[in-house]
Amino acid sequence: MVDGDRTWSFVVAANRLPVRRVWEEGTARWVPSPGGLVSALRPVMADNPDAVWVGWSGVPGPGTDPFEMDGFRCHPVEVSQGELQLFYEGFSNATLWPLFHDALVPPEYHRTWWDAYRTVNHRYAATVAQLAAPGATVWIHDYHLLLVPGLLRRARPDLKIGFFLHIPFPARELYIRLPWRTEIIDGLLGADLIGLQTPLSADNFCRAAARVTGAPTTNKTIHHDDRTTRVGAFPIGIDAQRIAGLAADPAVQARSTEIRRSLGSPRTVLLGVDRLDYTKGIEVRLRAFRELLAEGRLSADHCVFVQIAEPSRSQVTGYGEVRRAVEQLVGDVNGNFGVMGHPVVHYLHQSQPIEELVAMYQMADVMLVTPLRDGMNLVAKEYVASRPDNSGVLVLSEFTGAAQELKAAELINPHDIEGLKAAMESAALRNPADARSAMRAMRRVVRANTAQRWAERFLDRLALGE
Ligand code: G6P
């Protein structure tokens, strides 16, 4: 699909566009895309008339025409039904996603998936090459497009190319299992600057690149093929002002009160908000909650646990299993500890608009963010940004990027169920005033490192070229 002859000085490429097309009763409409990548990048793009976002519409088959959104251009890339299975569900989400998340489920290696991954990466690179103005800045995002920097560098050596990985980069010992480890590192090294969420991921990447290419790596700079690629940690933030604005909105506040009342006005509400993904540690927090009830350390008369699980990647290995396990646990806890008309766990397998999520963040005394591994986790930051009165306790896994910044959270190891139980119990029983100084400290961090600041830091460093 062409976009006239127009070219753009700033091009973003990500697997998904910021909106996805859904069909309801024969009519199509655009709704916000899931995940942290889109929510962080959207404010960066808003009202930039010289920016274009290249990505997939969320629907397989022939693409739609380019269109305007929030004052910038969206340029859809076509992904066929077959490619959806091999490139997206296969190589992206059943090879790279589990491998990069510490092989929490076994990654699968299939040559047909790899072929489709290469084909789709070629298509993205060709589209960007066509849309980018001479000397333009191109920012490529995430694990679906690891080959695009190298392909683009060959087609358009004039471009400034940045790449940001939103998920963790694994330890070298894991990464080198990948049969296509050399092609992927070569692809990434087409970028001038590679950004990762944490210093650990940046180190892991440099060690893997040194091992695979044999290239000298000094001080986060890799010299390869007569070029230099810089590597750095750029932890992503949220649009803190937007969330704070929603938290101050009387309609959102009224909704928050209404939700709490509908839960039976319990003394303590614990909340989890996640895509339904095996990396998120939803099962572990439900098991911990069940044990706390069984041991009488928390009481179903006073506590309610709300879990929002956004449907995600239901066709991919591991996702059906985690859904069944979570739903069995919810049924088990409610069957054993609920009373008629008052379930102790409220579970929604539905996505929610951000207004509804902020209303939930506001009514939750304890926020449970317990992933086994997570690049950043923006839900943790959204919760903090929704607590202007400094109340509320964030229980946060050490294995999230967010834990590097939100050091005042109640940090837990999600593999240590007794430690998690102790943290949940003390958070649920804590006097709200005692939590205030921790929340105040976390709010400072979230306000200082917004999505906008993150993008500025990355793009300034890319522009500097040193
Ligand atoms: C994570 C990834 C994103 C992805 C999102 C939603 O945040 O880093 O790249 O878009 O999950 O997943 P989905 O498979 O629905 O795009």
Side-chain angles (χ1 to χ4, degrees):
M1 188 84 39
V2 289
D3 198 359
D5 288 332
R6 163 105 213 241
T7 57
W8 313 80
S9 65
F10 183 50
V11 185
V12 159
N15 178 49
R16 282 187 186 276
L17 287 171
V19 282
R20 70 194 159 103
R21 210 158 167 74
V22 292
W23 287 89
E24 271 161 16
E25 293 163 7
T27 44
R29 56 191 190 98
W30 294 100
V31 300
S33 292
L37 180 160
V38 163
S39 64
L41 266 177
R42 214 177 155 131
V44 173
M45 296 289 285
D47 301 320
N48 183 345
D50 213 20
V52 61
W53 184 319
V54 174
W56 175 53
S57 70
V59 179
T64 49
D65 288 335
F67 59 96
E68 296 286 327
M69 224 224 33
D70 292 349
F72 64 91
R73 193 84 168 152
C74 288
H75 191 101
V77 173
E78 181 172 336
V79 175
S80 70
Q81 179 63 41
E83 287 167 347
L84 181 72
Q85 285 161 2
L86 304 171
F87 151 76
Y88 168 77
E89 293 169 358
F91 199 79
S92 299
N93 286 311
T95 305
L96 295 175
W97 177 271
L99 181 67
F100 281 37
H101 287 88
D102 293 353
L104 289 170
V105 307
E108 293 180 43
Y109 306 110
H110 299 295
R111 285 161 288 182
T112 50
W113 292 3
W114 165 246
D115 290 342
Y117 186 83
R118 283 178 43 209
T119 304
V120 175
N121 272 245
H122 272 275
R123 189 174 308 141
Y124 270 84
T127 308
V128 173
Q130 185 194 351
L131 294 173
T137 295
V138 177
W139 197 4
I140 300 154
H141 291 265
D142 231 357
Y143 59 102
H144 316 82
L145 303 181
L146 299 176
L147 301 177
V148 173
L151 296 170
L152 199 53
R153 172 70 56 203
R154 280 199 284 286
R156 291 287 306 271
D158 59 303
L159 301 176
K160 272 245 176 278
I161 304 176
F163 178 89
F164 188 80
L165 185 68
H166 292 254
I167 67 173
F169 196 91
R172 180 176 64 180
E173 292 65 27
L174 274 175
Y175 177 75
I176 61 173
R177 293 181 189 174
L178 187 64
W180 305 281
R181 61 197 187 187
T182 308
E183 289 88 335
I184 295 237
I185 294 279
D186 280 347
L188 282 169
L189 291 180
D192 296 295
L193 176 64
I194 297 176
L196 298 115
Q197 299 276 25
T198 62
L200 176 64
S201 279
D203 276 352
N204 286 346
F205 175 74
C206 288
R207 283 161 51 81
R211 161 78 161 75
V212 166
T213 62
T217 304
T218 44
N219 197 20
K220 299 282 178 297
T221 303
I222 301 171
H223 308 279
H224 183 54
D225 269 355
D226 295 331
R227 296 194 48 259
T228 298
T229 298
R230 286 159 303 131
V231 178
F234 297 86
I236 199 168
I238 58 164
D239 188 348
Q241 223 180 342
R242 174 164 186 239
I243 301 291
L246 288 172
D249 181 338
V252 173
Q253 291 174 354
R255 176 68 188 139
S256 180
T257 310
E258 184 186 338
I259 299 172
R260 196 163 177 125
R261 200 174 305 123
S262 74
L263 298 174
S265 303
R267 198 179 296 159
T268 308
V269 178
L270 302 103
L271 174 67
V273 173
D274 311 82
R275 276 185 311 100
L276 186 43
D277 193 298
Y278 52 79
T279 59
K280 301 289 184 185
I282 303 172
E283 287 168 77
V284 87
R285 73 183 76 132
L286 280 165
R287 277 205 303 275
F289 186 57
R290 177 172 67 184
E291 288 190 20
L292 287 168
L293 293 173
E295 291 163 16
R297 289 161 66 181
L298 291 182
S299 151
D301 296 339
H302 304 308
C303 288
V304 165
F305 183 166
V306 178
Q307 177 65 53
I308 308 298
E310 185 179 10
S312 189
R313 307 178 195 164
S314 55
Q315 304 306 314
V316 178
T317 319
Y319 288 79
E321 287 80 343
V322 72
R323 180 175 177 192
R324 274 189 290 283
V326 163
E327 292 181 355
Q328 200 193 342
L329 274 162
V330 170
D332 183 55
V333 177
N334 281 333
N336 283 300
F337 301 100
V339 294
M340 199 58 80
H342 282 285
V344 61
V345 180
H346 291 250
Y347 165 76
L348 295 184
H349 182 233
Q350 298 161 24
S351 66
Q352 300 291 332
I354 187 68
E355 294 77 8
E356 184 76 357
L357 290 178
V358 173
M360 293 198 199
Y361 295 144
Q362 282 195 313
M363 61 97 210
D365 306 287
V366 180
M367 185 77 210
L368 297 171
V369 179
T370 61
L372 304 167
R373 177 57 79 193
D374 207 334
M376 175 53 64
N377 197 292
L378 296 183
V379 164
K381 294 187 172 182
E382 286 174 1
Y383 177 68
V384 168
S386 304
R387 312 291 305 185
D389 68 352
N390 297 316
S391 66
V393 182
L394 173 65
V395 174
L396 179 63
S397 163
E398 290 168 24
F399 303 118
T400 61
Q404 297 293 310
E405 293 173 274
L406 303 180
K407 296 198 162 79
E410 211 38 76
L411 293 178
I412 56 97
N413 169 3
H415 302 278
D416 168 15
I417 191 155
E418 288 302 336
L420 174 59
K421 281 164 61 185
M424 285 169 65
E425 182 186 17
S426 87
L429 302 177
R430 187 167 311 170
N431 179 337
D434 294 346
R436 291 226 155 85
S437 68
M439 185 55 79
R440 211 172 288 124
M442 292 192 286
R443 287 177 59 76
R444 273 196 295 274
V445 173
V446 169
R447 273 200 305 262
N449 182 26
T450 57
Q452 292 88 336
R453 277 292 299 138
W454 161 76
E456 271 164 27
R457 276 190 291 113
F458 184 92
L459 294 171
D460 287 352
R461 182 90 188 276
L462 180 62
L464 266 179
E466 61 185 36

